[in-house]
Amino acid sequence: MNPHIRSTGDPCVVVGAGPVGLIAALGLARRGLPTLVLESEPLQRIRPGSRAIALAWPTLRRFESVLPGLGRAIAADGIGVTGYDAYYEGRRIFHYRSGSGVLGRVARADRLVTSLPQRVTERHLYEACVRAGVEFHWESGVSGLESHPDGVRVALRSGGVLDADYVIGADGARSVVRKAIGATMIGHTDDTPFIIVDVEELPDGSTSNTPGHFHYRHPELNGRNVMHMPFRGGMRIDLQCLPGDDAEQLATRDGIRDWTAPIVSPWYADHITWVSTYRFHQVVADTYTDPHRRVLLAGEAAHLFAPWGGRGLNSGALDATDAAKAIAAAVHSADRAEAHRVITRCAADRRAWGLHNRDVSSRALRIMRATDPAVRRRRTLAARLAPVCPPAGAWLANGPIQLTPPRLGSTDLY
Ligand SMILES: Cc1cc2nc3c(=O)[nH]c(=O)nc-3n(C[C@H](O)[C@H](O)[C@H](O)COP(=O)(O)OP(=O)(O)OC[C@H]3O[C@@H](n4cnc5c(N)ncnc54)[C@H](O)[C@@H]3O)c2cc1C
């Protein structure tokens, strides 16, 4: 692109056209702010893998509040996951179908989550942005930025610069914006490798009707944990490796064929669409804003969590919409002090949610790994009690998904 982007006045700039950047840009544009997105990759890039498949009702409601009809359109392109079963050593310890019990009250809907590949959600968000007049600059990576009391000077990898009124940094895990404002990720990396395998939908279409299910200590997998979660067009299988496992070998075609054979139809092994091996970071930025309150971080630029509990995109979408709202309030505020306060409040509030989400997904990992003898004992006891004491089964089943009730004073979950 031209190294000198011209805009009328100073626009609000969103760095990154991932799902979080897109919903942030839409939120700004829908509030009447001139909005420009800088994305390092080309428009026709391929976004691999299912990734954030599980969209929860607060996320869809947020999409709907930004643009009426958007949440419904995305939900219509997903499948409603209406059930969830949990097993311990091959024995079913929990069975749930939507609308009932504790999970029903927390999910507050006829479906636990809407499940679809992340790229489909991104397509909806991108098209909505274009309709709302967001200006996109593809292949326009940001190399740094400097904020000052009146705005932000954004430096492009091409050598150009761009002045912005406010910036939302939604440039993902290796965020340049985060580094530029001097923020640091705090937390740890979990040492358990996971293998994530996406497979196609069975030709008879029955994959989508399968409830999500989680197996603790699967007897056919030498006691490894495994989760299956359907999404529109396929299913995701997440295998938790054991200490000493050769994750790279388990992630080869032959490795996957061997370990999936006893647990799913052999058809799936010939219809793998994506394989990935992960160790999850559990980190949150020490600040979500800059000293001049002209920059806000959102999504994976601000936090990284294991996907257990669906905290990634669901919380990123809330960061983004809150950031857009705060920036609109700051732009329209009576004086600079008030603008400063609005951005400070937004950054602090979203960071508190980031810490909460990090703790919740860390709890999921603790229960799933059970390296702590106390957790191991509690898991074994819950599994034994489950047939006669349903809350014990529900506690164990909730371990990996961590559907937590809204916090006091808030209707949000993330
Ligand atoms: C295997 C896996 C499973 C997951 N499962 C779930 C799930 O079930 N539920 C859930 O909620 N989340 C899940 N997540 C997390 C989810 O995918 C992320 O939260 C989501 O992609 C984050 O979106 P983002 O927009 O913050 O970052 P990204 O999607 O990483 O987007 C960042 C964008 O910024 C661009 N960019 C980077 N640097 C620059 C730069 N310097 N200048 C300009 N542009 C730049 C990138 O090209 C990219 O387009 C999963 C993630 C993985 C990897």
Side-chain angles (χ1 to χ4, degrees):
M1 67 167 268
N2 186 320
H4 301 285
I5 296 170
R6 296 198 194 288
S7 257
T8 47
D10 288 345
C12 292
V13 165
V14 177
V15 184
V20 173
L22 292 171
I23 188 66
L26 186 62
L28 292 166
R30 292 277 300 164
R31 288 184 158 81
L33 300 173
T35 305
L36 190 150
V37 175
L38 299 173
E39 165 58 51
S40 56
E41 293 188 339
L43 170 60
Q44 301 305 343
R45 64 190 171 155
I46 292 168
R47 297 281 273 168
S50 55
R51 302 189 73 191
I53 50 175
L55 295 183
W57 62 266
T59 310
L60 295 172
R61 200 182 52 190
R62 276 298 175 99
F63 289 166
E64 201 60 26
S65 74
V66 172
L67 178 63
L70 178 63
R72 275 196 295 274
I74 292 174
D77 262 358
I79 55 163
V81 178
T82 53
Y84 173 62
D85 294 337
Y87 297 78
Y88 195 88
E89 295 181 341
R91 189 167 49 86
R92 194 166 75 188
I93 45 98
F94 183 80
H95 172 71
Y96 169 79
R97 293 297 173 269
S98 57
S100 61
V102 177
L103 289 183
R105 283 202 296 282
V106 173
R108 283 199 199 160
D110 64 343
R111 46 173 73 182
L112 283 169
V113 290
T114 290
S115 189
L116 71 170
Q118 182 174 313
R119 64 179 167 277
V120 179
T121 304
E122 289 180 13
R123 178 172 48 75
H124 278 280
L125 296 174
Y126 173 66
E127 287 169 3
C129 281
V130 171
R131 284 196 300 275
V134 173
E135 191 179 324
F136 281 87
H137 294 265
W138 300 93
E139 298 178 73
S140 300
V142 167
S143 56
L145 56 78
E146 212 171 308
S147 67
H148 51 86
D150 298 317
V152 188
R153 178 147 285 197
V154 182
L156 303 173
R157 284 184 193 147
S158 62
V161 292
L162 168 72
D163 287 323
D165 202 7
Y166 285 89
V167 168
I168 296 180
D171 50 341
R174 296 193 176 88
S175 174
V176 164
V177 176
R178 182 178 67 236
K179 287 183 196 108
I181 64 169
T184 310
M185 289 297 212
I186 311 270
H188 68 280
T189 300
D190 195 87
D191 58 6
T192 308
F194 283 81
I195 297 167
I196 301 180
V197 180
D198 284 354
V199 291
E200 286 175 28
E201 169 99 38
L202 281 167
D204 66 3
S206 60
T207 310
S208 306
N209 301 327
T210 318
H213 46 282
F214 188 86
H215 291 258
Y216 285 98
R217 300 175 52 78
H218 200 303
E220 303 284 351
L221 296 173
N222 287 339
R224 296 183 185 90
N225 297 336
V226 67
M227 186 174 203
H228 306 191
M229 182 58 81
F231 57 84
R232 171 77 74 200
M235 177 168 68
R236 181 151 122 201
I237 309 172
D238 293 52
L239 180 77
Q240 181 184 338
C241 295
L242 291 175
D245 274 347
D246 180 351
E248 297 310 319
Q249 197 284 326
L250 288 169
T252 61
R253 295 266 154 180
D254 287 345
I256 294 168
R257 188 179 294 282
D258 287 348
W259 63 260
T260 54
I263 61 167
V264 291
S265 157
W267 183 88
Y268 287 120
D270 293 321
H271 296 84
I272 294 168
T273 52
W274 188 59
V275 182
S276 205
T277 309
Y278 283 95
R279 278 185 171 78
F280 296 113
H281 301 292
Q282 296 290 99
V283 291
V284 177
D286 58 354
T287 174
Y288 280 26
T289 190
D290 64 308
H292 299 292
R293 304 299 187 255
R294 289 283 171 172
V295 179
L296 278 166
L297 299 178
E300 292 207 331
H303 48 71
L304 290 166
F305 313 125
W308 305 101
R311 306 261 143 191
L313 179 51
N314 286 306
S315 64
L318 270 56
D319 296 337
T321 45
D322 278 1
K325 188 174 165 192
I327 287 174
V331 166
H332 296 118
S333 61
D335 57 50
R336 192 170 280 179
E338 176 55 20
H340 202 278
R341 266 195 298 278
V342 169
I343 301 294
T344 303
R345 210 165 34 236
C346 173
D349 184 50
R350 285 317 302 169
R351 182 163 184 275
W353 277 105
L355 295 172
H356 167 77
N357 290 323
R358 185 187 65 185
D359 292 348
V360 167
S361 55
S362 295
R363 187 158 62 230
L365 283 171
R366 261 201 313 280
I367 295 173
M368 289 161 61
R369 300 170 68 209
T371 43
D372 175 348
V375 175
R376 213 161 38 239
R377 275 197 301 277
R378 197 169 171 200
R379 257 180 32 169
T380 312
L381 185 64
R384 274 200 204 119
L385 289 175
V388 290
C389 175
W395 175 80
L396 202 46
N398 196 37
I401 56 174
Q402 291 294 318
L403 271 180
T404 54
R407 294 196 302 181
L408 276 182
S410 169
T411 54
D412 289 335
L413 290 175
Y414 305 102

